[in-house]
């Protein structure tokens, strides 16, 4: 039995028909589906101990606070953070990047300083740095791609200098699927005196992550891509750096003492968590971490690699297909479990609309990487993205539907 066959019943949403056909969900890079264990944890919080955290001395509030903080411990252990103080809950990865941009970027950068990004960044790891550059006078520099459409590490080395103050880079590209050498990037950047932020949205759900080994200064991820609900994500930051950073948002929870003229702030990590947080969602994020840990991230990664290899073998049979990013090796390694592509002159959104009629959910458009699409000279692309709950049979059905769809459009042209 494959991993997907073993755990598929954990995901109620997968067992339904769309347009009279069995749902084939191939859009996990946009958001993952949620196992019953996570859904039950969320429901249990609202049904049995819904209360605000860190405020009341009553039983429900204590219980909610304990569960909320226990989830933080789980996230810290999941990515091997040194301390629970290094995990700040945010709404999502975008908010986590904005937190670093506003709190650290706006206060530490000046004209002449440089921020290195890559052309494959998601808009979430691009627009906040544009804000920072516009406000501080710092300059944005972009690393391009190799001919295999992977990060050009040589160009990165050429751009790196003592002017570089920050490198903000995606771990796994949500469009190209390439995995960037983040440990090497951190080592090189630190040698130049720069800090590094890793956008780990597409890696944390699919492989073991060890922030101490990577040695990044910050790392961000979104809960909803890792089997948790929407509305919860996290920022990891080295404790000494977070300690130096001023608060991002002001309000309740993040203070020590408030006077009419000024305030003092709470200790880490609460200094960065203003207002009532997404309590149930954070607790459910802890449940998602438990669920993924129980399966094992090594096992998830190995199964998804095998699935990736199969997906690419099958996609290669589609005439006139153009795949983006590096190809997987024989074991499916070397790229993420997603494929962005175009077929002939067929518009990606037409492809996905017709596939939806067959119950197949894929994404089309620019996947929040417009500059990358311009760089690779594509107005958009279709994207099929996998998770460990997908099966080989689903890939067969997707390929079958894709062939039919392509035949249909070709006959019309
Ligand atoms: C690589 C990458 N970075 C950042 C994000 C932004 O995540 P969110 O919208 O949850 O903040 C995404 C979401 O698609 C992503 O794939």
């Amino acid at each position: 039995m494959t991993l997907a066959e073993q755990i598929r019943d954990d995901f109620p949403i997968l067992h339904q028909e769309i347009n009279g056909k069995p749902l084939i969900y191939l859009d996990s890079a946009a958001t993952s589906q949620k196992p019953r264990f996570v859904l039950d944890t969320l429901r249990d919080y609202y049904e049995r101990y819904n209360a605000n955290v860190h405020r009341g001395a009553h039983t429900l509030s204590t219980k909610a606070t304990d569960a909320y903080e226990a989830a933080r411990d789980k996230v810290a252990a999941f990515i091997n953070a040194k301390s629970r103080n290094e995990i700040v809950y945010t709404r999502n990865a975008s908010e986590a990047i904005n937190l670093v941009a506003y709190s650290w970027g706006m206060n530490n950068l000046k004209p002449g300083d440089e921020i290195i990004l890559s052309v494959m960044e998601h808009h979430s790891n691009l627009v906040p740095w544009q804000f920072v550059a516009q406000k501080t006078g710092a300059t944005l520099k972009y690393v391009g791609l190799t001919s295999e459409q992977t990060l050009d590490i040589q160009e990165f080395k050429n751009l790196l200098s003592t002017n570089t103050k920050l490198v903000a880079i995606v771990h796994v590209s949500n469009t190209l699927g390439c995995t960037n050498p983040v440990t090497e990037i951190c080592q090189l950047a630190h040698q130049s005196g720069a800090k590094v932020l890793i956008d780990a949205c597409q890696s944390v759900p699919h492989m073991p992550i060890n922030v101490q080994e990577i040695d990044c200064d910050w790392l961000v991820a979104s809960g909803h891509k890792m089997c948790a609900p929407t509305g919860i994500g996290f920022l990891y930051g080295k404790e000494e750096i977070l300690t130096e950073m001023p608060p991002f948002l002001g309000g309740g929870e993040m203070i020590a003492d408030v006077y009419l003229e000024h305030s003092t702030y709470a200790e880490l990590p609460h200094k960065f968590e203003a207002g009532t947080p997404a309590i149930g969602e954070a607790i459910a994020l802890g449940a998602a971490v438990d669920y993924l840990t129980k399966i094992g991230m090594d096992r998830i990664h190995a199964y998804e690699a095998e699935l990736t290899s199969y997906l690419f073998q099958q996609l290669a049979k589609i005439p006139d297909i153009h795949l983006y990013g590096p190809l997987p090796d024989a074991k499916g390694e070397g790229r993420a479990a997603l494929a962005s592509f175009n077929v002939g002159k067929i518009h990606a959104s037409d492809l996905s609309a017709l596939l939806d009629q067959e119950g197949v959910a894929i994404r089309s458009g620019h996947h929040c990487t417009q500059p990358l699409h311009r760089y690779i000279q594509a107005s958009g692309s279709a994207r099929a993205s996998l998770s460990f709950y997908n099966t080989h049979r689903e890939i067969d059905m997707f390929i079958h539907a894709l062939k039919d769809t392509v035949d249909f459009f070709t006959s019309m042209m």
Side-chain angles (χ1 to χ4, degrees):
M1 240 202 203
T2 64
L3 173 57
E5 285 160 358
Q6 283 170 38
I7 53 78
R8 219 174 140 80
D9 281 348
D10 295 347
F11 291 82
I13 200 170
L14 297 177
H15 303 275
Q16 63 172 304
E17 294 196 339
I18 298 288
N19 299 317
K21 307 279 167 54
L23 166 65
I24 298 173
Y25 186 76
L26 302 180
D27 198 17
S28 293
T31 198
S32 71
Q33 296 305 348
K34 327 298 176 200
R36 192 176 282 106
F37 179 63
V38 168
L39 302 174
D40 288 348
T41 301
L42 188 61
R43 170 175 281 271
D44 188 51
Y45 161 72
Y46 282 115
E47 283 187 353
R48 294 198 312 114
Y49 60 101
N50 172 45
N52 215 326
V53 287
H54 304 132
R55 292 181 189 190
H58 61 79
T59 303
L60 291 191
S61 175
T62 307
K63 203 164 174 213
T65 303
D66 288 350
Y68 177 79
E69 291 301 334
R72 194 191 308 274
D73 290 329
K74 293 174 189 182
V75 174
F78 192 59
I79 59 165
N80 197 32
K82 247 189 221 163
S83 156
R84 66 189 319 279
N85 292 341
E86 298 182 319
I87 305 298
V88 176
Y89 289 127
T90 58
R91 264 191 314 140
N92 47 37
S94 302
E95 187 178 273
I97 295 170
N98 276 278
L99 192 166
V100 178
Y102 278 88
S103 168
W104 184 86
M106 294 292 191
N107 291 299
N108 285 279
L109 298 178
K110 57 182 188 321
D113 290 344
E114 294 175 359
I115 302 171
I116 299 184
L117 309 170
S118 82
V119 295
M120 69 177 85
E121 297 313 311
H122 188 282
H123 298 163
S124 296
N125 196 30
L126 222 157
V127 182
W129 303 117
Q130 292 175 346
F131 294 164
V132 168
Q134 283 156 11
K135 199 83 182 168
T136 64
T139 308
L140 302 180
K141 301 261 169 177
Y142 288 92
V143 185
L145 306 181
T146 63
S147 53
E148 286 82 37
Q149 295 187 332
T150 59
L151 187 83
D152 187 342
I153 194 77
Q154 191 51 52
E155 191 179 357
F156 170 69
K157 288 178 188 169
N158 296 344
L159 288 176
L160 200 58
S161 76
T162 48
N163 292 331
T164 313
K165 293 294 176 294
L166 173 72
V167 178
I169 213 116
V170 70
H171 190 180
V172 170
S173 162
N174 65 315
T175 301
L176 299 172
C178 56
T179 304
N180 294 328
V182 286
T183 308
E184 184 187 359
I185 288 170
C186 288
Q187 205 177 13
L188 292 166
H190 289 154
Q191 279 165 13
S192 285
K195 296 201 169 9
V196 185
L197 179 143
I198 303 295
D199 172 357
C201 274
Q202 300 292 345
S203 56
V204 169
H206 303 287
M207 61 178 76
I209 295 293
N210 183 337
V211 287
Q212 292 190 61
E213 220 168 81
I214 296 172
D215 195 28
C216 49
D217 299 290
W218 302 280
L219 178 139
V220 303
S222 275
H224 70 90
K225 294 185 197 286
M226 51 187 287
C227 296
T230 51
I232 188 75
F234 66 88
L235 165 70
Y236 156 82
K238 283 183 179 163
E239 188 160 1
E240 60 273 23
I241 298 174
L242 292 182
T243 303
E244 293 297 312
M245 286 164 53
F248 169 40
L249 300 172
E253 300 266 349
M254 52 72 72
I255 49 86
D257 285 302
V258 176
Y259 304 90
L260 287 180
E261 289 77 23
H262 74 282
S263 303
T264 57
Y265 308 125
E267 296 293 315
L268 284 177
H270 308 291
K271 178 172 85 172
F272 292 111
E273 293 177 3
T276 299
I279 304 165
E281 288 75 5
I283 296 169
L285 172 63
V289 165
D290 283 342
Y291 180 82
L292 294 171
T293 306
K294 194 163 169 222
I295 296 173
M297 292 311 295
D298 279 320
R299 194 163 162 228
I300 286 174
H301 182 72
Y303 175 70
E304 289 183 357
E306 184 195 323
L307 218 52
T308 304
S309 170
Y310 188 65
L311 173 68
F312 276 77
Q313 279 168 32
Q314 300 309 310
L315 281 172
K317 296 178 185 164
I318 305 287
D320 228 4
I321 191 163
H322 187 102
L323 289 155
Y324 300 103
L327 289 173
D329 67 15
K331 290 187 173 156
E333 295 287 353
R335 64 157 300 120
L338 62 89
S340 298
F341 60 93
N342 276 301
V343 186
K345 294 204 175 343
I346 305 170
H347 207 283
S349 58
D350 291 339
L351 268 185
S352 69
L354 246 77
L355 284 169
D356 183 55
Q357 294 303 307
E358 300 302 313
V360 180
I362 65 162
R363 179 143 182 209
S364 64
H366 52 61
H367 324 312
C368 298
T369 54
Q370 269 187 345
L372 172 65
H373 276 85
R374 280 190 205 103
Y375 187 93
I376 60 177
Q377 296 180 351
S379 59
S381 57
R383 183 185 69 189
S385 56
L386 309 173
S387 188
F388 58 91
Y389 41 69
N390 289 121
T391 64
H392 293 75
R393 187 170 144 68
E394 284 184 305
I395 292 177
D396 289 341
M397 290 161 78
F398 159 54
I399 296 291
H400 184 76
L402 182 60
K403 270 189 192 142
D404 284 354
T405 306
V406 169
D407 284 350
F408 171 77
F409 280 115
T410 314
S411 69
M412 306 259 293
M413 282 173 175

